[in-house]
Amino acid sequence: MLAIYALSFLDLFSVGLIKPLLPSLLQSKQIGATAYAGVNSACHAAGLLLSPFIGRLSDVRGRKSGIVVSAFVAFVGCVCYGLALTTNSYAPAVVGRLLHNLGHVAIMAPLNATIAGRSESGGAARLSMMMGIFGLGYAAGSAGGGWLGGFGAAPVLAVLCAVAAASALLAASLPALPVGGATSGAARP
């Protein structure tokens, strides 16, 4: 259970971390406010489209599979952010934003289902705790991103990649988690 809470924290920490830097990163690639808003809208629309597939994967193959795939997608997005520093093209920044957001949105369902499905008693309390951890992660990430941003984009992106890598490794190290609505037991093979 602690690993699930840690993943929840790291996920929102990474989202908060990049938020203060993202506008200037995209602006440095000559993306205006309208294009930036379009990129954000496309990211959230893509998250809406991907989330049901990750939810279905979690229901069929177990929660761990949805968590691992989502964490890996977010990690690849963070690597793309890093590539944005090495090129004059805006494509790596946009792809990074898209993939990072997809991973973030998609991981929510299997994390929440894992917490809620642990037992019938106390599910609401655990979900409330998860929401608090999400908020704490986002606040800590935003503060860290704002502070690190004073040193330039590279330190923010280095920490972002490290956090995403830690999330992916933590997700991969999870034990088998229940399939579907099961509240106990291991995932199907």
Side-chain angles (χ1 to χ4, degrees):
M1 187 72 74
L2 185 59
I4 297 297
Y5 286 137
L7 278 166
S8 301
F9 177 84
L10 290 173
D11 177 54
L12 266 292
F13 182 86
S14 71
V15 171
L17 189 67
I18 195 66
K19 285 289 184 180
L21 178 66
L22 195 58
S24 63
L25 179 63
L26 290 175
Q27 186 177 26
S28 73
K29 307 300 180 194
Q30 287 78 42
I31 292 181
T34 302
Y36 175 70
V39 167
N40 273 330
S41 296
C43 288
H44 292 291
L48 176 67
L49 295 174
L50 180 68
S51 291
F53 294 108
I54 296 296
R56 180 69 181 141
L57 175 68
S58 294
D59 286 343
V60 172
R61 295 283 185 195
R63 307 285 181 234
K64 180 179 177 178
S65 60
I67 293 169
V68 169
V69 168
S70 299
F72 181 74
V73 168
F75 172 72
V76 172
C78 293
V79 171
C80 289
Y81 278 139
L83 292 175
L85 292 179
T86 64
T87 180
N88 289 329
S89 171
Y90 65 86
V94 171
V95 170
R97 173 75 175 111
L98 177 68
L99 293 176
H100 186 244
N101 190 71
L102 284 174
H104 158 67
V105 170
I107 205 168
M108 295 285 197
L111 285 175
N112 285 330
T114 299
I115 292 296
R118 284 310 210 194
S119 74
E120 298 304 318
S121 174
R126 282 190 295 281
L127 279 174
S128 295
M129 172 76 104
M130 177 90 97
M131 294 301 116
I133 289 170
F134 281 154
L136 180 63
Y138 187 78
S142 294
W147 179 74
L148 281 172
F151 300 102
V156 175
L157 295 175
V159 171
L160 182 67
C161 285
V163 168
S167 292
L169 290 171
L170 183 57
S173 70
L174 289 173
L177 297 170
V179 174
T183 58
S184 63
R188 292 180 208 155

